[in-house]
Amino acid sequence: MSQSLEPTVLPPPFPDHTQLPESDGEFVKNFQEHPQSLILTDSLGPILERIHPDGQYAIGQDCGIYWRQTEPPEKGAEAPDWFYVPNVPPKLDGQIRRSYVIWHEFIAPMIALEFASGDGSEERDQTPLSRSSQGKKTKPGKFWVYEQILRIPYYGIFEINRNHLEVYHLINGSYRPMSPNSRNHYPIEPLGIELGLLQGTYQNQTQIWLRWWDSQGNLLLTGSERAEQERQRAEQERQRAEQAEIARREAIPKLFAMGLTADQIAEALGLPIEEVNSLARGGD
């Protein structure tokens, strides 16, 4: 006698970044967040190119990191103001990332930064995920999610109103507050860089910014700062060359007065004999 097999009903697959919301409808809290993120990403570029010559890394700005399935879905995500994930492709199957889905990627960000518009209480919230006897879930705090679920090795909170920075390092499963070094910077050792604060102007805003330095304390420059530095270097080189040329020309009459011949002066100054004779005649 033959038996009929009941069809196996498989649970639906976990959603990926294309199936999850990329926004929870909240506004960006202030006008500093966007340029602040640009500074961090732009200035870190040369370091990441050296560490990841294959380009395998991702940087997120206000992008959701999904760590659990909820209804609605966006309640299962946290969106750091800035974060960096090593050793993952910048795109997935040729598609621009809409979010970072931890159950598909399994690699936590190395560092997450929050730009706190308020007093930082939201960013320091250590409320754990819990369920009441009636089945109601308590929303976990951001600090708790980064520490206990995502286990992000470095977590920084920048209180914009107070120009205050604190950085935590995950040690033995718990965040420990880091102490700044002698430069008042926080070393991010896996990247060989330091994080700190600096007064400056960027995109018409003059204020305190989060900035990177290398391990020797040299500021990591943005592209526009590197271009300006190169422009100043070229201008200084032009001025040095111009001053050297003036000095050579002014030396010719003095060398003639010392009894040197035109040939000797040309050889000493590295000038054509014709130019020495012309300058000796007053440029005729």
Side-chain angles (χ1 to χ4, degrees):
M1 183 174 69
S2 63
Q3 288 183 321
S4 62
L5 297 177
E6 292 292 331
T8 301
V9 179
L10 298 175
F14 287 126
D16 62 19
H17 73 113
T18 65
Q19 300 164 309
L20 292 165
E22 57 187 298
S23 171
D24 62 1
E26 292 186 0
F27 291 109
V28 173
K29 298 178 180 62
N30 62 69
F31 280 77
Q32 186 192 29
E33 290 190 8
H34 180 60
Q36 175 63 87
S37 293
L38 291 178
I39 288 176
L40 292 170
T41 302
D42 188 4
S43 59
L44 193 58
I47 299 292
L48 295 181
E49 289 174 8
R50 176 175 54 80
I51 295 175
H52 303 287
D54 56 1
Q56 296 298 288
Y57 68 89
I59 288 177
Q61 174 192 338
D62 288 321
C63 298
I65 302 176
Y66 279 88
W67 61 276
R68 64 173 176 147
Q69 288 190 281
T70 58
E71 187 56 46
E74 56 267 27
K75 296 301 181 182
E78 293 293 344
D81 291 318
W82 189 95
F83 64 94
Y84 152 71
V85 191
N87 305 318
V88 297
K91 291 184 178 180
L92 293 177
D93 300 322
Q95 294 182 309
I96 294 174
R97 290 178 178 275
R98 294 177 56 186
S99 56
Y100 190 76
V101 185
I102 201 70
W103 58 75
H104 280 290
E105 311 253 11
F106 305 110
I107 299 177
M110 179 181 290
I111 181 170
L113 299 173
E114 294 285 0
F115 315 143
S117 297
D119 61 3
S121 57
E122 178 184 349
E123 290 74 16
R124 297 187 189 91
D125 188 353
Q126 300 182 45
T127 303
L129 177 64
S130 61
R131 189 190 300 267
S132 69
S133 58
Q134 292 78 29
K136 183 179 179 181
K137 291 182 179 178
T138 300
K139 184 181 185 302
K142 186 170 291 189
F143 190 104
W144 183 86
V145 172
Y146 293 167
E147 177 190 52
Q148 297 297 319
I149 302 298
L150 298 176
R151 298 186 177 277
I152 299 173
Y154 293 90
Y155 175 36
I157 301 172
F158 175 32
E159 285 188 54
I160 296 171
N161 292 333
R162 291 202 302 139
N163 294 323
H164 174 73
L165 172 64
E166 56 193 62
V167 181
Y168 297 86
H169 187 197
L170 191 69
I171 300 175
N172 296 326
S174 299
Y175 275 144
R176 307 287 176 83
M178 295 179 65
S179 297
N181 60 19
S182 60
R183 292 185 283 269
N184 206 33
H185 301 160
Y186 296 89
I188 311 299
E189 292 185 359
L191 292 172
I193 58 175
E194 301 174 353
L195 181 66
L197 300 177
L198 182 70
Q199 174 83 16
T201 300
Y202 184 76
Q203 292 190 351
N204 82 340
Q205 296 188 48
T206 300
Q207 57 205 31
I208 300 292
W209 301 98
L210 270 179
R211 297 298 302 259
W212 305 113
W213 286 260
D214 66 19
S215 57
Q216 286 74 49
N218 301 304
L219 182 67
L220 300 185
L221 304 179
T222 64
S224 59
E225 288 171 335
R226 291 192 294 271
E228 175 61 20
Q229 186 182 67
E230 178 59 26
R231 187 197 66 78
Q232 292 181 3
R233 188 202 63 77
E235 176 61 20
Q236 290 171 356
E237 184 62 30
R238 185 194 66 78
Q239 291 179 2
R240 280 195 294 267
E242 185 177 272
Q243 290 168 0
E245 179 65 19
I246 292 173
R248 287 197 303 174
R249 291 170 179 267
E250 291 178 345
I252 291 175
K254 298 176 183 178
L255 294 174
F256 271 121
M258 293 170 59
L260 274 69
T261 66
D263 288 335
Q264 290 173 323
I265 294 172
E267 182 177 357
L269 299 180
L271 293 173
I273 184 67
E274 296 81 9
E275 186 173 348
V276 171
N277 289 328
S278 174
L279 291 172
R281 295 192 300 268
D284 297 335

